[in-house]
Amino acid sequence: MGVLGAFRGLAAHLGAARDEPSEPTGQLRAALVLLVTYEATAHVCFCLTLLDVFGRADVDGRLATATRSPDGYLELLAEARRELAVSPHSARVVIDDVRQAWQSERVPAGAPSPVVVIPPPRPTPSTAAP
């Protein structure tokens, strides 16, 4: 599977993770980390950040902690998304600041060491068997 195909599959998983926050996201998170460290793409780092912010328990409590810094406000995520259209390089700076405010681990650019299996695509309500 090519990088773009893998990214497309992972993007589909993000919506499902958002709709079912109680579902474990460890394998999805590991696959995103693999792509972001292998490709060093700002867009994948942004997706990983969304999963880290919204895919974990106690979003409200963590929001209260994150907003002690100006970089922790959710509006900065929207700003980072807009910045992706202009410059992935400058967007990565904003994303890294958001990750730090939300106490998410730093995502370095570089080659990955372990091989991570990308989870198979989930059925959507329109493709699920009756």
Side-chain angles (χ1 to χ4, degrees):
M1 173 187 307
V3 171
L4 291 179
F7 178 73
R8 193 170 177 193
L10 289 169
H13 283 288
L14 288 173
R18 179 198 65 225
D19 295 337
E20 302 173 31
S22 62
E23 184 173 323
T25 58
Q27 189 179 14
L28 175 59
R29 188 175 193 296
L32 284 166
V33 168
L34 174 71
L35 276 179
V36 77
T37 56
Y38 181 69
E39 288 295 310
T41 62
H43 197 83
V44 173
C45 190
F46 179 74
C47 291
L48 179 61
T49 303
L50 291 177
L51 185 64
D52 284 350
V53 168
F54 298 110
R56 295 183 181 167
D58 189 26
V59 173
D60 293 332
R62 291 183 309 105
L63 176 63
T65 301
T67 55
R68 292 180 187 153
S69 161
D71 296 330
Y73 287 89
L74 295 177
E75 290 80 10
L76 202 56
L77 283 171
E79 184 179 318
R81 175 62 187 99
R82 287 189 300 271
E83 190 65 27
L84 281 169
V86 177
S87 168
H89 178 73
S90 61
R92 181 64 192 255
V93 173
V94 175
I95 294 165
D96 288 344
D97 290 346
V98 170
R99 292 187 64 75
Q100 183 176 0
W102 280 84
Q103 300 175 348
S104 293
E105 63 195 46
R106 185 176 174 276
V107 181
S113 51
V115 174
V116 176
V117 176
I118 297 172
R122 295 181 186 172
T124 61
S126 62
T127 63

